[in-house]
């Protein structure tokens, strides 16, 4: 979604803003703009399309000044166009604003302001903000801070705002509610940004603004207060990852880099959470006794994180006997799920900023539930609003298509399920040790699959050109089928359906012909569903479907049925999804490459979906 960046210091602002916006490109955008303050003059430049277009414009017509704000826009209100791009200005051009989020009551505010003579140029919701600030000053607000506070009180919806005033050459202003915003602290220079990667090369410390707070950021100071004017003492956090973590490191894309990082991340998670004597520490403030008494869990999340939640449900039910439900956060928040305070809510989120997931947390808190998040981003809204957090610690995930965050979420569920099974006595310490020994094999198995990338690429190149593909899996690998299909459609734009294989006869079998690639996840272990998967594959074969199997190394049975096979090492049933999905990530990756799409920034998608 939209990206916000701001700078104040002694260096030229424009190149710093552009660099920050480039680092935010992964969030998805369709136009970009900056506003730079020089003395008492604000100059804006905006352009549609890639940042390179804005850079070209700036090269032809540079802007000078050492304070500024910048924005990448992901259109919600009004098409991508120069006029709809941010920054937006007040009628007299004295105030410039960039905004991430949605102002829900913008229509009524616009009518009210229009009646007072304000002229609007764009179709955006954002444009009401500079006009409201301007009006507040006209109505007697004694300072920019007071004008912003009066304005914030009128806004409904979500916002991270960066604001410049022509009259205030030594400050940039920012505010947040619902959309993330950080203040990066440098040496005699400070920054604002939607997230850390935008400015990671420039800072080591940051302040995470809380909802309902605003700040006056100067080159050598930061003052924070609430929208009611109560001063807030800033909490300064060290940034825990290095700039290189947000760089491509020689890989052709971030997604490929992130796929390759998975074995290391999974190993690190095991090292962090499992002691030498086989004890699991989930790093949570919730005490063992809480889990002993627990009788219901509700997992809420979106997209890939929802698939991780589906896996979590299967594993938790299997190992702990607790009743577990999982739901899409966007559905959960509008249903009546009959949750009591004894239910543990597990939101799963890479970014920690997904609007529907956050809304679900807030609802569940009103019902008195405890929240244990599985999340990747420290300081994110999900982290701050939860009672306890299991961090996936994979470093910044820049590719829009989630890969390493997904396998880390699966690993988090594996460790959490074993921990809960241990404290509740569902598994003996010996059984847990045996599970953990098998889990320790997973990172190497993932590495093995990645090593087969050339073979997987060859398979992808045979099948990428059709209009559609079908992914089938059962039990633990039903979520894998959904995730494989999601990866494929996200980055290769080939339509893909994920299905529970047992459902095939109830509809999708009608799609099967010799042009349809059917990706069957059929790893052979002791699992009861292996035979069932074989029967499903035979049904596909009988209808001339193109079978691509994900199968266990050494499985000769499958070789008689499948045209192409991605062989993976054998791991325990329960952990096969962590290994199998990596084959599907690579399959999608090379299909996208063959189809020539923008893999890290697929069309229309945003990395973190901060609006409903
Ligand atoms: O940041 P979150 O994990 O909350 O994001 C949830 C989804 O938006 C995300 O997983 C999305 O589906 C990805 N593009 C999947 O690759």
């Amino acid at each position: 979604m939209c990206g916000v960046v701001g700078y104040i210091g002694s260096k030229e602002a424009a190149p710093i803003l552009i660099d920050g916006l480039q680092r935010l490109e992964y969030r998805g955008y369709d136009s970009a703009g900056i506003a730079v303050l020089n003395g008492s003059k604000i100059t804006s430049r905006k352009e549609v399309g890639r940042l390179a277009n804005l850079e070209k414009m700036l090269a032809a017509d540079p802007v000078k000044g050492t304070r500024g704000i910048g924005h990448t826009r992901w259109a919600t209100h009004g098409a991508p166009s120069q006029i709809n791009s941010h920054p937006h200005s007040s009628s007299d051009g004295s105030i410039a604003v960039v905004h991430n989020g949605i102002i829900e009551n913008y229509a009524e505010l616009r009518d009210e302001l229009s009646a007072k003579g304000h002229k609007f140029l764009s179709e955006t919701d954002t444009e009401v903000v500079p006009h409201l600030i301007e009006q507040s000053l006209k109505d007697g607000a004694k300072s920019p801070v007071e004008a912003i506070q009066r304005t914030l009180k009128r806004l409904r919806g979500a916002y991270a705002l960066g604001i410049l005033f022509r009259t205030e050459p030594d400050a940039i202003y920012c505010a947040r509610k619902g959309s993330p915003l950080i203040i990066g602290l440098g040496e005699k220079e400070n920054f604002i940004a939607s997230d850390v990667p935008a400015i990671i090369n420039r800072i080591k410390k940051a302040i995470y603004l809380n909802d309902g707070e605003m700040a006056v950021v100067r080159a050598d100071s930061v003052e924070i207060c609430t929208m009611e004017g109560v001063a807030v003492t800033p909490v300064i956090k060290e940034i825990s990852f290095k700039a290189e973590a947000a760089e491509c490191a020689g890989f052709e894309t971030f997604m490929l880099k992130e796929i390759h990082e998975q074995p290391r991340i999974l190993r690190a998670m095991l090292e962090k959470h499992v002691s030498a004597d086989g004890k699991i520490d989930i790093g949570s403030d919730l005490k063992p006794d809480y889990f002993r008494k627990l009788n219901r869990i509700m997992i809420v999340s979106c997209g890939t994180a929802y698939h991780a939640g589906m896996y979590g449900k299967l594993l938790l039910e299997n190992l702990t006997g607790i009743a577990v439900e999982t739901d899409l956060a966007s559905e959960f928040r509008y249903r009546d799920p009959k949750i009591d305070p004894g239910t543990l809510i597990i939101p799963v989120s890479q970014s920690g900023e997904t609007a529907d997931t956050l809304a679900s947390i807030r609802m569940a808190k009103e019902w008195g539930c405890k929240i244990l998040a599985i999340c990747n981003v420290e300081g994110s809204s999900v982290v701050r609003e939860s009672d306890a957090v299991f961090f996936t610690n994979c470093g910044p995930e820049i590719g829009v298509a989630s890969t390493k965050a997904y396998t880390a979420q699966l690993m988090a569920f594996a460790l959490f399920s074993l921990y809960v099974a241990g404290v509740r006595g569902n598994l003996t310490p010996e059984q847990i040790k045996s599970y953990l020994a098998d889990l320790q094999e997973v990172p190497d198995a993932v590495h093995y699959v990645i090593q087969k990338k050339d073979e997987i690429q060859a398979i992808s190149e045979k099948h990428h050109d059709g209009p559609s593909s079908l992914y089938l899996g059962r039990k633990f690998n039903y979520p894998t089928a959904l995730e494989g299909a999601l990866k494929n459609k996200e980055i290769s734009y080939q339509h893909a359906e994920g299905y529970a294989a047992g459902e095939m006869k109830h509809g999708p079998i009608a799609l099967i012909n010799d042009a349809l690639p059917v990706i069957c996840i059929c790893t052979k272990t002791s699992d009861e569903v292996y035979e069932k998967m074989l029967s499903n594959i035979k049904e596909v074969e009988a209808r001339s479907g193109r079978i691509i199997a994900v199968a266990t190394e050494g499985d000769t049975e499958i070789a008689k049925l499948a045209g192409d096979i991605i062989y993976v090492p054998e791991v325990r049933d329960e952990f096969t999804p962590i290994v199998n999905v990596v084959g599907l990530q690579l399959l999608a990756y090379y299909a996208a490459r063959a189809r020539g799409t923008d893999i890290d920034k697929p069309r229309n998608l945003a990395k973190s979906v901060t609006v409903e």
Side-chain angles (χ1 to χ4, degrees):
M1 304 251 117
C2 306
V4 169
V5 45
Y7 173 74
I8 183 159
S10 56
K11 300 182 187 126
E12 280 303 318
I16 293 174
L17 298 174
I18 293 292
D19 179 60
L21 293 178
Q22 272 162 350
R23 291 167 186 273
L24 287 175
E25 276 190 299
Y26 74 94
R27 294 168 69 98
Y29 71 103
D30 40 51
S31 52
I34 62 170
V36 173
L37 178 62
N38 195 357
S40 59
K41 188 168 176 235
I42 297 176
T43 313
S44 295
R45 299 276 183 272
K46 315 176 191 190
E47 195 50 292
V48 181
R50 291 289 173 215
L51 265 171
N53 302 345
L54 179 64
E55 282 182 88
K56 233 185 256 164
M57 179 186 257
L58 282 163
D61 191 7
V63 285
K64 292 261 161 222
T66 55
R67 298 82 177 91
I69 50 179
H71 189 263
T72 42
R73 174 172 187 255
W74 189 86
T76 57
H77 295 61
S81 69
Q82 210 174 43
I83 212 84
N84 287 333
S85 307
H86 300 209
H88 290 287
S89 303
S90 54
S91 307
D92 61 2
S94 66
I95 301 159
V97 169
V98 290
H99 166 222
N100 175 19
I102 288 184
I103 308 300
E104 285 164 3
N105 57 337
Y106 81 100
E108 64 190 70
L109 292 171
R110 200 172 158 121
D111 288 348
E112 176 190 317
L113 288 159
S114 298
K116 290 182 178 160
H118 290 258
K119 295 266 175 295
F120 290 89
L121 304 176
S122 77
E123 300 159 86
T124 66
D125 52 332
T126 303
E127 203 182 354
V128 296
V129 180
H131 286 268
L132 260 183
I133 298 173
E134 181 182 34
Q135 188 61 41
S136 302
L137 287 166
K138 276 192 194 146
D139 291 344
K142 291 186 187 59
S143 65
V145 168
E146 194 185 327
I148 293 171
Q149 284 164 347
R150 286 191 190 189
T151 297
L152 299 183
K153 286 183 194 149
R154 301 289 319 278
L155 303 180
R156 272 205 322 272
Y159 51 79
L161 296 167
I163 309 164
L164 291 181
F165 287 83
R166 191 158 66 193
T167 53
E168 303 296 317
D170 292 325
I172 57 177
Y173 296 77
C174 60
R176 79 157 270 185
K177 190 185 141 220
S179 300
L181 197 72
I182 61 151
I183 301 169
L185 306 175
E187 279 293 311
K188 299 205 174 101
E189 58 181 6
N190 288 318
F191 306 80
I192 62 171
S194 327
D195 62 21
V196 174
I199 48 175
I200 182 66
N201 54 331
R202 301 180 189 276
I203 58 156
K204 295 207 166 52
K205 291 177 182 164
I207 299 165
Y208 292 82
L209 216 56
N210 287 310
D211 262 358
E213 289 177 357
M214 61 162 293
V216 184
V217 182
R218 298 198 170 82
D220 53 4
S221 70
V222 176
E223 280 166 48
I224 302 180
C225 63
T226 65
M227 63 172 101
E228 279 74 36
V230 179
V232 173
T233 310
V235 179
I236 298 174
K237 297 237 173 179
E238 299 278 338
I239 302 300
S240 62
F241 59 89
K242 296 199 171 68
E244 303 83 71
E247 277 156 18
C248 244
F251 286 92
E252 61 188 23
T253 60
F254 278 105
M255 182 173 172
L256 195 60
K257 176 194 172 209
E258 286 156 7
I259 290 174
H260 280 77
E261 285 178 299
Q262 293 176 107
R264 178 184 55 73
I265 290 163
L266 296 170
R267 262 182 225 115
M269 286 180 82
L270 284 163
E271 267 167 36
K272 179 173 173 196
H273 294 284
V274 183
S275 66
D277 60 349
K279 296 252 171 355
I280 301 169
D281 174 7
I282 59 163
S284 141
D285 293 338
L286 298 176
K287 299 276 170 282
D289 207 39
Y290 172 79
F291 294 107
R292 276 183 206 114
K293 292 180 187 145
L294 190 62
N295 56 22
R296 191 173 174 208
I297 295 177
M298 180 80 222
I299 306 171
V300 283
S301 41
C302 303
T304 285
Y306 172 66
H307 301 151
M310 289 174 73
Y311 170 75
K313 168 190 160 70
L314 290 162
L315 204 60
L316 278 160
E317 283 179 347
N318 209 275
L319 298 181
T320 71
I322 301 174
V324 187
E325 255 190 280
T326 184
D327 205 353
L328 293 161
S330 52
E331 288 297 314
F332 177 75
R333 63 184 290 193
Y334 292 113
R335 72 182 173 96
D336 182 8
K338 308 282 178 285
I339 299 278
D340 62 42
T343 303
L344 172 66
I345 307 293
I346 305 187
V348 187
S349 178
Q350 186 286 127
S351 63
E353 302 295 347
T354 302
D356 287 316
T357 308
L358 273 167
S360 304
I361 294 177
R362 289 169 191 157
M363 263 169 53
K365 278 172 101 170
E366 276 175 25
W367 300 326
C369 302
K370 288 262 182 253
I371 317 285
L372 168 63
I374 294 180
C375 191
N376 192 40
V377 179
E378 284 174 38
S380 63
S381 304
V382 164
V383 166
R384 282 170 320 150
E385 297 193 25
S386 298
D387 298 294
V389 184
F390 192 128
F391 280 105
T392 42
N393 290 124
C394 356
E397 191 179 64
I398 307 288
V400 164
S402 189
T403 52
K404 62 177 181 175
Y406 181 65
T407 46
Q409 285 159 357
L410 301 188
M411 178 60 90
F413 272 119
L415 289 165
F416 176 65
S417 306
L418 290 170
Y419 169 79
V420 177
V423 297
R424 289 168 70 93
N426 305 100
L427 294 175
T428 63
E430 286 64 39
Q431 285 172 315
I432 291 185
K433 273 191 191 146
S434 152
Y435 272 97
L436 284 174
D438 293 341
L439 197 52
Q440 297 284 358
E441 289 175 6
V442 166
D444 285 348
V446 168
H447 177 73
Y448 178 93
V449 177
I450 294 171
Q451 295 299 102
K452 297 180 81 121
K453 63 184 175 194
D454 293 345
E455 281 171 48
I456 299 174
Q457 177 170 10
I459 297 174
S460 261
E461 285 173 357
K462 266 165 74 179
H463 300 289
H464 73 269
D465 52 350
S468 188
S469 54
L470 181 63
Y471 288 68
L472 300 176
R474 279 176 178 260
K475 199 177 165 185
F476 293 120
N477 282 298
Y478 167 39
T480 314
L482 298 187
E483 176 59 11
L486 178 64
K487 284 294 86 90
N488 191 21
K489 60 190 149 201
E490 271 188 302
I491 59 167
S492 84
Y493 312 155
Q494 182 192 53
H495 172 256
E497 288 249 20
Y499 245 87
E503 273 290 295
M504 187 175 65
K505 288 200 271 299
H506 300 282
I509 199 164
L511 298 171
I512 295 173
N513 60 21
D514 59 4
L516 185 80
V518 185
I519 296 90
C520 303
I521 303 144
C522 187
T523 32
K524 181 180 185 176
T525 58
S526 58
D527 200 326
E528 63 199 353
V529 297
Y530 172 72
E531 301 285 338
K532 311 273 175 204
M533 268 311 298
L534 279 186
S535 305
N536 293 131
I537 294 177
K538 283 183 185 143
E539 287 156 8
V540 176
E541 191 206 18
R543 286 155 187 86
S544 311
R546 296 193 204 174
I547 300 162
I548 302 166
V550 177
T552 309
E553 202 68 73
D555 183 346
T556 47
E557 195 59 28
I558 206 106
K560 295 179 199 150
L561 297 169
D564 291 291
I565 305 177
I566 300 172
Y567 279 116
V568 300
E570 180 166 351
V571 294
R572 192 173 189 133
D573 289 338
E574 290 85 341
F575 307 139
T576 52
I578 313 179
V579 179
N580 294 347
V581 77
V582 178
L584 301 186
Q585 293 169 350
L586 287 163
L587 198 66
Y589 184 85
Y590 288 112
R593 202 160 174 269
R595 290 165 75 103
T597 60
D598 187 346
I599 294 180
D600 280 338
K601 299 184 283 289
R603 68 181 177 208
N604 305 336
L605 284 175
K607 181 65 183 165
S608 66
V609 183
T610 51
V611 295
E612 242 191 280

